[in-house]
Amino acid sequence: IAGKQSQDVHANQHAITFYQRAEQLLLRAGGSSNDLYTTRLNLARLYQLTGDIPLQLQAIDTLTQFSTSEQNLDWIIESNTLRLRYLAQLGAYTQAQQLGEETLELANQSENDLLKADVEIRVGEIYAYLAAHNEALSHFRTADDLYKVNRNKRGQALALQSIALVYLNRNDYTYS
């Protein structure tokens, strides 16, 4: 709880400390897989926010291994999505594009439409970085449709903003 509260007020270093302690406690006490996964996911996201590349990669690798060992499809998809962001931070867009397409295939097997939409956003971002505007728009529009069906206004706003940025980047000021 303390880690989540610190994260909510953007006290990232405090949140990292709390989540690291929680991870160790869960490992020692044999906590639930779900609690351990959530703790590790929050750590990976915080390392990403703080720009700590080595710890970010370590956390993503640990999360990926754990997700695979638990054979939890949604966790694997979330882990891959974090890795997509990591690869984009490094400018490894070709590698990210390949992982993105693989992750989309996995996401299509999931029942979680919001997770699918998140993957569509991340893959769209990779295509936008590669200046593959039509591909990026396709992914952003798919995400927008999924968010709309699920009444997720925040996600829909992100998808629409992403669409607008593609049009802006290609100097096309008409929306169609």
Side-chain angles (χ1 to χ4, degrees), residues 139-157:
H139 290 287
F140 293 144
R141 286 183 177 134
T142 300
D144 180 42
D145 290 342
L146 289 167
Y147 287 130
K148 200 179 299 180
V149 166
N150 287 280
R151 292 181 161 83
N152 184 311
K153 298 291 186 192
R154 182 178 293 202
Q156 197 175 354

Side-chain angles (χ1 to χ4, degrees), residues 84 87-88 92-104 122-123 126-127 130 132 135 139:
L84 282 172
L87 291 170
Y93 302 124
T94 303
Q95 190 178 354
Q97 181 183 8
Q98 180 180 350
L99 178 61
E101 293 301 331
E102 292 168 9
T103 305
L104 277 174
R122 297 300 157 239
V123 172
I126 299 302
Y127 280 109
L130 293 169
E135 290 86 351
H139 290 287

Side-chain angles (χ1 to χ4, degrees), residues 71-122:
Q71 299 180 346
N72 185 312
L73 180 63
D74 287 352
W75 291 358
I76 293 168
I77 294 165
E78 280 182 321
S79 300
N80 283 357
T81 303
L82 281 173
R83 190 174 302 277
L84 282 172
R85 292 186 94 167
Y86 169 79
L87 291 170
Q89 277 180 299
L90 297 180
Y93 302 124
T94 303
Q95 190 178 354
Q97 181 183 8
Q98 180 180 350
L99 178 61
E101 293 301 331
E102 292 168 9
T103 305
L104 277 174
E105 288 179 28
L106 292 174
N108 286 327
Q109 298 170 33
S110 173
E111 299 288 323
N112 186 336
D113 282 345
L114 293 177
L115 187 57
K116 288 178 197 175
D118 291 344
V119 174
E120 291 285 356
I121 289 288
R122 297 300 157 239

Side-chain angles (χ1 to χ4, degrees), residues 33-103:
S33 295
N34 192 52
D35 288 343
L36 186 57
Y37 172 80
T38 301
T39 299
R40 288 178 168 168
L41 179 66
N42 285 324
L43 269 172
R45 287 178 175 160
L46 284 163
Y47 291 139
Q48 207 159 46
L49 282 172
T50 60
D52 192 328
I53 300 295
L55 285 177
Q56 180 182 347
L57 179 58
Q58 181 182 352
I60 292 170
D61 286 343
T62 301
L63 198 58
T64 301
Q65 290 167 357
F66 184 70
S67 301
T68 303
S69 73
E70 292 290 316
Q71 299 180 346
N72 185 312
L73 180 63
D74 287 352
W75 291 358
I76 293 168
I77 294 165
E78 280 182 321
S79 300
N80 283 357
T81 303
L82 281 173
R83 190 174 302 277
L84 282 172
R85 292 186 94 167
Y86 169 79
L87 291 170
Q89 277 180 299
L90 297 180
Y93 302 124
T94 303
Q95 190 178 354
Q97 181 183 8
Q98 180 180 350
L99 178 61
E101 293 301 331
E102 292 168 9
T103 305

